[in-house]
Coordinates of all heavy atoms in Angstrom, one line a residue:
V878 N -11.5 10.6 -29.5 CA -10.3 10.9 -28.8 C -10.6 11.8 -27.5 O -10.0 11.5 -26.5 CB -9.3 11.7 -29.7 CG1 -8.1 12.2 -28.9 CG2 -8.8 10.8 -30.8
V910 N 6.7 15.1 8.1 CA 7.7 15.1 7.1 C 8.8 16.1 7.4 O 8.7 16.9 8.3 CB 7.1 15.5 5.7 CG1 6.0 14.5 5.3 CG2 6.5 16.9 5.7
K993 N -3.3 -5.5 18.5 CA -2.8 -4.8 19.6 C -1.6 -5.5 20.3 O -1.0 -4.8 21.2 CB -3.9 -4.5 20.7 CG -5.0 -3.6 20.1 CD -6.1 -3.4 21.2 CE -7.2 -2.5 20.6 NZ -8.3 -2.2 21.7
P999 N 9.7 -8.1 21.3 CA 10.8 -7.9 20.5 C 10.9 -9.1 19.5 O 10.5 -10.2 19.7 CB 12.0 -7.9 21.4 CG 11.4 -7.6 22.8 CD 10.0 -8.2 22.8

Side-chain angles (χ1 to χ4, degrees):
V878 171
V910 301
K993 295 183 179 180

